[in-house]
C-alpha cells in the first residue's frame, strides 16, 4: 500500500505541462485533509533530495493562483512558465488560472 508521501509524489509527477494545481488539491487527492497541504513542499523537497529530480514544482501554486518565486529560482521559473504558455501578471498570479487549474476526481 502506498503511503501519503508516495501518493503526493505520484500526483505531483503527473501534473501535465501547461497546467497547474494547488497544494490543497494535491493533499486531498492523496487522501488527506486541507491542513496536509502545508506538508506538500516538505514532502516534495525531501523526494528531490533523494533523487527524484523531475518534480514540476512550478506547476504547484497557491489556491488564489499566485506562484511562489524567489530570487534564486526566479529566472528559471519564469522561463518554465513562458515555455509552457502559463502567463503571469505583475503580481505573479496566473492570468488564466481557472482555465489551466487541474482538478482531481
Amino acid at each position: 500500500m502506498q503511503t501519503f508521501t508516495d501518493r503526493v509524489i505520484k500526483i505531483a509527477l503527473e501534473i501535465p505541462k501547461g497546467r497547474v494545481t494547488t497544494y490543497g488539491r494535491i493533499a486531498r487527492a492523496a487522501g488527506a485533509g486541507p491542513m496536509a497541504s502545508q506538508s506538500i513542499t516538505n514532502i516534495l523537497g525531501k523526494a528531490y533530495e533523494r533523487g527524484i529530480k523531475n518534480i514540476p514544482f512550478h506547476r504547484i501554486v497557491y489556491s488564489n493562483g499566485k506562484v511562489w518565486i524567489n530570487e534564486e529560482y526566479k529566472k528559471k521559473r519564469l522561463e518554465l512558465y513562458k515555455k509552457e504558455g502559463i502567463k503571469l501578471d505583475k503580481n505573479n498570479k496566473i492570468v488564466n488560472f481557472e482555465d489551466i487549474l487541474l482538478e482531481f476526481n
Side-chain angles (χ1 to χ4, degrees), residues 6 8 12 19-20 25 48 52 55 65 68 73 75 78 81 83 91 100-101 105:
D6 294 333
V8 165
R19 302 289 301 271
V20 298
R25 283 172 174 81
Y48 184 87
I52 303 173
I55 299 169
W68 178 85
Y73 298 107
K75 182 178 179 186
L78 292 176
Y81 289 127
K83 182 178 178 181
N91 297 313
I100 64 171
L101 180 61
N105 296 329

Side-chain angles (χ1 to χ4, degrees), residues 21-81:
T21 197
T22 65
Y23 298 95
R25 283 172 174 81
I26 291 174
R28 284 190 299 277
M35 290 303 292
S37 63
Q38 297 174 11
S39 66
I40 302 302
T41 300
N42 188 36
I43 289 169
L44 295 176
K46 286 180 180 179
Y48 184 87
E49 290 170 1
R50 288 192 325 264
I52 303 173
K53 302 294 185 186
N54 59 333
I55 299 169
F57 289 99
H58 66 288
R59 296 183 194 140
I60 305 168
V61 302
Y62 297 113
S63 62
N64 64 356
K66 189 168 175 115
V67 302
W68 178 85
I69 296 179
N70 70 357
E71 286 306 313
E72 182 180 356
Y73 298 107
K74 183 175 184 173
K75 182 178 179 186
K76 182 176 180 176
R77 284 214 171 191
L78 292 176
E79 287 172 2
L80 288 168
Y81 289 127

